[in-house]
Amino acid sequence: MKRILRIFLSLLTAVAFGQSTDSTQHKITLQHYRLAYRYQSSGLLDSAIFYYNKALDTAIDPKTTAQLHTNASIIYKQLGRYEIALEHAFAALANFPNSSIEQASCLDNIGTIYFHVRELNKSLEFHYKALKIRQDHDYEKGIAKSFNNIGNVYIEGQMYDSAIHNLQRALKIKKTIGEEKEIATVMHNIGWAYLEKEDLHSAEQYLTHAYTSKLRLKDSLALVYTSNLLSKLHLEKNNPELARSFITQTRQIALKLDLLNLQVQSLENEALYYAAVKDFRNQALTLGQFIILNETLLNQEKARALAEMQTKYETDKKDQEITYLHNVESIQKEEIAHQKEMASIAIVAATFFLVMVICISYLLHTIRKSKNHIEQLNQEMQHRISNNLQLLSGVLKMQSSDLSATSEASDLIKITESRVNSMAIVHQKLFANKNKRSINLQEYLEELCLFLRHSFSAGEQLNIKTHVESIKVDVDQVLYIGLIVNELITNAIKYAFTETNKLPQIDITVRGQMTNLIFLEVRDNGTGYDPNQSSPSFGTKLIKTLTRQLKAESTNFNQNGAVFQLSIPLAYET
């Protein structure tokens, strides 16, 4: 009897201890949850992710787990890391009760992530599932949100009538609820659909209404998107001055909020405005800014995609390490429990070895697959950038052919064309080199000089001599060196050769210095360099900016013509 009583008391103690452990674990989870949410609200997304993951490590309640996964998914979506965002969203979906309002919100989030990665059919599938649940619950606000999201997907799929139909249904519900901010959002989307459909009159009505509401609400983030669409609308309606005011507003807000994609779009619209008012000089300058900023945006997108691939690989590696640790722990327990059973230990060790071989093989396969995916993504990105730059170079060439060969606008467009081409050659060589980051500087500069010689009417009589060693240089440095050489040669063609009795000549010298420096010299036999010029040109400013970016030391002087020398530290040795 006493033995039974002791066993019963031990069981009670174990139960009480288990409940106490669960309670402590739940408190730790909530502490991490609160910290993560506080960081998320403050915009400190990396810190928020860290604490959401710590909370997930200790979470035991399905509802709390689901909400943690949902919040983590939303942050990864904001960061553009859509694959990880989907993993958290599906994990949340598995923990929410079926056909619940929370599950509908989770389905809506998954549909939005698929929209961002342009998988429009999957996006519609999940948005319609969310809509069905919200209709079953008669949840008006959620129903309106689903119709709005479905409308946006149809706009992206160029099915504008279906988009307008769903957005009008969303608008009708929003007006019943009476939330001005939400009404303005739907009005914006309807105006967007009509603009894409080229129904400019209807587009103007809805966009103007949305713009007025957002202005009254002082919602700068929402206002900037509507302002951007209004600038496009008025350019389409041939109202350039009205478009100009919206372009300026879009640019100012985008700069303030650090919205790089809208900065690029506003520069594109500004170039179209200058074309409409036939201000080709400012059009050329704006196109130059657009090219540089668009290149930055493309590089950011590529870096974000590569970071997502790297994170996926590290996550898989971590899972493999956890599996390995569990296997080791399992073997240690077996050794303690069965010290005298050597045969069993041998079998377990052999099994563990086999598991390790399989895990390592799988890990190596995952690494190769990730590496191939990254290389394909990088190759496609370089090909797209090269094509876009060649297209822009062709457009500029066509534009310059319509102008007088001696006009200032023609010269500006030709200079911009040469800058674009200097970048295009880099991307062509990257694509040809199977994405190796180093480029042969000798081949690149010879090709660039050949292009420049035939791009200007004065260049036909020009003799460009290159004395360049076969040095392989990192692509980022090659891009800056090419732009500097381009500016120096075009400046010489324009200003240096005013004396008709001289045969114009430019000498370009590149050689290695010590182990980690290269020496660049560009000299001409023209009238010489004026160090006292009062207002430096855009090209001169660009050369100084690029020299700083290279962390190079520069020297300018006259010696039977202008001489420009650079001593450039190599970022990578190849």
Side-chain angles (χ1 to χ4, degrees), residues 51-82:
Y51 282 103
Y52 276 132
N53 286 329
K54 288 185 73 69
L56 283 166
D57 289 340
T58 56
I60 53 177
D61 173 52
K63 186 175 180 180
T64 304
T65 302
Q67 195 57 55
L68 288 168
H69 277 299
T70 298
N71 291 359
S73 173
I74 291 169
I75 293 176
Y76 279 120
K77 180 175 67 178
Q78 288 177 272
L79 294 172
R81 299 167 72 175
Y82 301 117

Side-chain angles (χ1 to χ4, degrees), residues 302 306 309 367-382 431 434-436:
K302 182 176 74 172
L306 293 174
M309 290 298 303
I367 292 170
R368 284 194 297 269
K369 189 175 179 181
S370 299
K371 184 179 178 181
N372 290 337
H373 193 174
I374 291 169
E375 289 176 353
Q376 290 172 4
L377 181 66
N378 193 27
Q379 188 173 11
E380 182 184 352
M381 183 67 69
Q382 295 298 340
F431 183 71
K434 302 296 183 185
N435 300 308
K436 293 180 181 177

Side-chain angles (χ1 to χ4, degrees), residues 187-199:
M187 285 279 195
H188 168 96
N189 292 336
I190 296 173
W192 175 26
Y194 275 121
L195 182 60
E196 294 295 328
K197 193 182 176 184
E198 299 183 350
D199 183 348

Side-chain angles (χ1 to χ4, degrees), residues 403-455:
L403 299 170
S404 170
T406 59
S407 68
E408 182 183 358
S410 176
D411 286 342
L412 282 169
I413 290 175
K414 284 181 179 177
I415 290 169
T416 304
E417 180 190 352
S418 68
R419 291 170 185 155
V420 171
N421 192 71
S422 69
M423 293 186 285
I425 294 172
V426 171
H427 290 288
Q428 287 170 3
K429 291 196 173 294
L430 273 180
F431 183 71
N433 288 344
K434 302 296 183 185
N435 300 308
K436 293 180 181 177
R437 283 194 60 85
S438 60
I439 290 176
N440 189 307
L441 195 57
Q442 181 186 37
E443 296 175 0
Y444 169 69
L445 289 179
E446 286 176 354
E447 188 173 342
L448 177 61
C449 290
L450 183 64
F451 168 81
L452 290 171
R453 188 173 179 274
H454 294 289
S455 293

Side-chain angles (χ1 to χ4, degrees), residues 291-567:
I291 291 164
I292 294 170
L293 201 60
N294 192 50
E295 179 84 5
T296 303
L297 182 61
L298 288 171
N299 286 336
Q300 284 188 2
E301 290 174 353
K302 182 176 74 172
R304 187 165 51 195
L306 293 174
E308 185 171 355
M309 290 298 303
Q310 181 66 22
T311 303
K312 181 71 170 63
Y313 159 72
E314 289 174 356
T315 302
D316 290 342
K317 183 179 178 181
K318 183 180 178 182
D319 290 339
Q320 294 295 329
E321 290 173 351
I322 292 170
T323 303
Y324 167 80
L325 291 173
H326 282 316
N327 287 335
V328 172
E329 183 181 2
S330 210
I331 289 174
Q332 289 174 344
K333 288 180 179 179
E334 288 293 326
E335 288 176 342
I336 294 170
H338 307 285
Q339 291 180 357
K340 295 181 181 181
E341 299 179 12
M342 298 300 296
S344 299
I345 293 175
I347 292 171
V348 172
T351 304
F352 170 70
F353 178 77
L354 181 60
V355 170
M356 282 298 300
V357 170
I358 294 171
C359 289
I360 292 170
S361 299
Y362 175 75
L363 185 59
L364 290 172
H365 173 73
T366 303
I367 292 170
R368 284 194 297 269
K369 189 175 179 181
S370 299
K371 184 179 178 181
N372 290 337
H373 193 174
I374 291 169
E375 289 176 353
Q376 290 172 4
L377 181 66
N378 193 27
Q379 188 173 11
E380 182 184 352
M381 183 67 69
Q382 295 298 340
H383 187 53
R384 285 175 58 195
I385 293 171
S386 178
N387 286 345
N388 288 339
L389 289 172
Q390 288 176 358
L391 178 62
L392 184 56
S393 179
V395 170
L396 290 169
K397 193 166 188 176
M398 290 172 63
Q399 181 75 66
S400 67
S401 67
D402 290 336
L403 299 170
S404 170
T406 59
S407 68
E408 182 183 358
S410 176
D411 286 342
L412 282 169
I413 290 175
K414 284 181 179 177
I415 290 169
T416 304
E417 180 190 352
S418 68
R419 291 170 185 155
V420 171
N421 192 71
S422 69
M423 293 186 285
I425 294 172
V426 171
H427 290 288
Q428 287 170 3
K429 291 196 173 294
L430 273 180
F431 183 71
N433 288 344
K434 302 296 183 185
N435 300 308
K436 293 180 181 177
R437 283 194 60 85
S438 60
I439 290 176
N440 189 307
L441 195 57
Q442 181 186 37
E443 296 175 0
Y444 169 69
L445 289 179
E446 286 176 354
E447 188 173 342
L448 177 61
C449 290
L450 183 64
F451 168 81
L452 290 171
R453 188 173 179 274
H454 294 289
S455 293
F456 294 84
S457 58
E460 294 298 324
Q461 300 175 351
L462 177 65
N463 183 19
I464 301 179
K465 291 185 177 181
T466 57
H467 316 278
V468 182
E469 293 181 0
S470 182
I471 303 172
K472 289 186 177 180
V473 182
D474 180 75
V475 58
D476 293 330
Q477 289 189 304
V478 169
L479 191 61
Y480 293 150
I481 292 169
L483 286 169
I484 289 172
V485 172
N486 175 80
E487 293 301 322
L488 291 171
I489 293 176
T490 53
N491 282 348
I493 291 172
K494 285 183 65 180
Y495 304 115
F497 306 118
T498 58
E499 297 179 12
T500 57
N501 59 342
K502 275 190 178 181
L503 180 64
Q505 179 172 317
I506 296 176
D507 290 273
I508 299 172
T509 303
V510 176
R511 62 176 180 269
Q513 280 187 325
M514 296 183 290
T515 57
N516 62 344
L517 291 173
I518 56 175
F519 171 78
L520 167 67
E521 180 186 87
V522 179
R523 65 167 61 226
D524 61 60
N525 63 345
T527 57
Y529 168 77
D530 180 12
N532 300 317
Q533 56 181 338
S534 58
S535 55
S537 65
F538 174 80
T540 303
K541 293 177 181 176
L542 182 59
I543 290 170
K544 289 182 179 179
T545 301
L546 295 173
T547 301
R548 286 197 299 271
Q549 291 288 335
L550 288 169
K551 297 181 181 177
E553 294 180 4
S554 66
T555 306
N556 306 334
F557 58 90
N558 291 317
Q559 188 181 71
N560 298 323
V563 182
F564 182 94
Q565 294 180 340
L566 270 182
S567 184

